[in-house]
Amino acid sequence: MTQVLRTEDLRLYHNTARGQLRAVDGVSLSIARGETLGLVGESGCGKSSLAKCVVGLDAPTSGTLEVAGVTPGKSRAMRIARAQAVQMVFQDPSGALNPRLSVARIIEEPLRVHGTGTAAERRAQVAELAQKVGLSDYHLPRFPHELSGGQRQRVSIARALALNPALLVCDEAVSALDVSVQAQVLNLFISLQKELDLTYLFISHDLSVVRYVSHRIAVMYLGRIVEIGPAEEVFHRHLHPYTRALVAAIPGDEALGEEAALLEGDVPSPVNPPSGCAFRTRCPHTRERCAADVPHLRDLGNGLQVACHFAEEFIRPEDMPQAAG
């Protein structure tokens, strides 16, 4: 299966007046073509920092990063190749769209910048992209302020698709929308993926949103992946205490979080993270080993990997593998 995104021990550190800030601290993951990997975690966990590395807005401090075989580079040719390999849909469509350009010009802009086709060919492609995301010819001459929030996000999606990227990074792409509009845009992402064989890195703080669109889910805490696996495995087993707390916090879904406690306190500073397990300062199950040893991702069956020294203790009897015969 072709991997569209691959990172290996990826790190993004920033030097600040208070010390070195570890925004991304050794992330290794991959996304196959046609797959959606949901990335979830609280604000400050490093999700957006990872996204910026992937799309080329920030250069990684160290580690390996490949998008459709393209690695980071400063040359013009490398920047063009990266733009054609990966595009981003941002959280706030109002801030992401130029208010002085019409919808048609906004969607066309990537094609103009990269010298794609003639003017007539670009107009035809703009109309086709608009139709794919649920906009009509009526919307093309309009300006962003004349559209609803959901319509503006559809414009952002159409613009992101213009260069036919291998990977689409969606950073909180529905969090600024009303709940009813969120559902429409999420369904649009799903239908576009089926139609165009798209690959998504879908970032959100909302675990229920991520579950709806994702094939696999990665849970991030303080710059590290603490649990990753098939979406339903993460939801029903959630063997890392942090994931258990996130699941328990989903409104109206008591069954999923029946044994988990809600989180207390804030995410520690990435400038001065705790020793050992970064989650130990908020974990109700912390022990002496947690302060001394950094837990690494371990395979606990059915494709689920967890970075917790004591994850096996949270496996329920009904989730244990059945003996043959």
Side-chain angles (χ1 to χ4, degrees):
M1 189 173 293
T2 303
Q3 291 184 350
V4 173
L5 173 66
R6 183 179 72 87
T7 74
E8 188 70 35
D9 197 26
L10 190 71
R11 299 174 189 270
L12 175 63
Y13 294 171
H14 301 291
N15 292 321
T16 71
R18 295 185 298 145
Q20 195 174 57
L21 187 154
R22 302 178 181 183
V24 179
D25 197 16
V27 169
S28 300
L29 54 78
S30 63
I31 309 178
R33 182 172 301 280
E35 181 185 34
T36 298
L37 176 67
L39 184 63
V40 68
E42 296 168 282
S43 297
C45 285
K47 306 185 304 298
S48 293
S49 294
L50 178 60
K52 289 177 181 178
C53 284
V54 172
V55 300
L57 294 177
D58 281 331
T61 304
S62 64
T64 300
L65 170 62
E66 291 184 2
V67 183
V70 179
T71 56
K74 295 183 179 180
S75 69
R76 185 173 184 273
M78 291 300 291
R79 292 198 304 270
I80 291 173
R82 172 62 70 86
Q84 293 173 333
V86 58
Q87 287 289 311
M88 193 167 185
V89 179
F90 294 91
Q91 175 179 0
D92 181 13
S94 299
L97 303 178
N98 190 330
R100 298 182 180 181
L101 298 183
S102 68
V103 168
R105 180 63 186 273
I106 289 171
I107 299 174
E108 183 190 12
E109 195 67 9
L111 302 173
R112 290 169 57 92
V113 169
H114 288 269
T116 303
T118 64
E121 289 170 339
R122 289 196 298 269
R123 285 195 297 272
Q125 190 169 349
V126 167
E128 181 181 356
L129 286 166
Q131 185 272 328
K132 285 184 183 299
V133 300
L135 299 173
S136 67
D137 292 342
Y138 167 83
H139 298 103
L140 294 179
R142 309 295 166 188
F143 290 85
H145 73 272
E146 299 178 277
L147 306 180
S148 67
Q151 290 169 340
R152 286 193 289 267
Q153 196 61 297
R154 290 172 188 267
V155 175
S156 295
I157 296 168
R159 179 181 61 183
L161 294 176
L163 296 177
N164 192 28
L167 175 68
L168 207 59
V169 176
C170 307
D171 189 7
E172 299 282 5
V174 299
S175 63
L177 306 176
D178 293 337
V179 174
S180 60
V181 180
Q182 279 188 10
Q184 296 172 15
V185 175
L186 290 174
N187 286 330
L188 173 64
F189 277 121
I190 293 171
S191 64
L192 287 172
Q193 183 174 53
K194 293 177 180 178
E195 179 183 356
L196 304 175
D197 195 28
L198 296 174
T199 305
Y200 296 136
L201 173 60
F202 201 95
I203 299 170
S204 178
H205 66 279
D206 189 334
L207 201 53
S208 58
V209 166
V210 168
R211 180 190 189 187
Y212 185 71
V213 299
S214 301
H215 299 96
R216 290 187 300 135
I217 293 175
V219 181
M220 195 168 189
Y221 187 80
L222 210 60
R224 300 173 182 170
I225 302 298
V226 298
E227 187 161 4
I228 186 170
E232 292 307 309
E233 283 293 311
V234 172
F235 255 81
H236 290 295
R237 296 180 73 191
H238 43 272
L239 298 182
H240 195 282
Y242 180 58
T243 310
R244 291 163 63 81
L246 293 179
V247 172
I250 298 174
D253 216 338
E254 294 83 358
L256 284 174
E258 57 190 359
E259 298 177 0
L262 296 180
L263 286 177
E264 295 183 359
D266 297 322
V267 179
S269 169
V271 175
N272 186 27
S275 63
C277 176
F279 185 61
R280 67 178 177 82
T281 57
R282 305 172 73 192
C283 180
H285 309 284
T286 188
R287 303 173 199 176
E288 185 175 345
R289 182 184 177 188
C290 302
D293 299 334
V294 176
H296 300 288
L297 289 170
R298 297 181 292 119
D299 189 352
L300 293 177
N302 297 333
L304 189 66
Q305 293 180 294
V306 185
C308 174
H309 296 306
F310 308 105
E312 286 87 350
E313 296 181 8
F314 304 117
I315 298 177
R316 297 170 298 186
E318 60 268 29
D319 293 328
M320 293 289 288
Q322 299 297 313

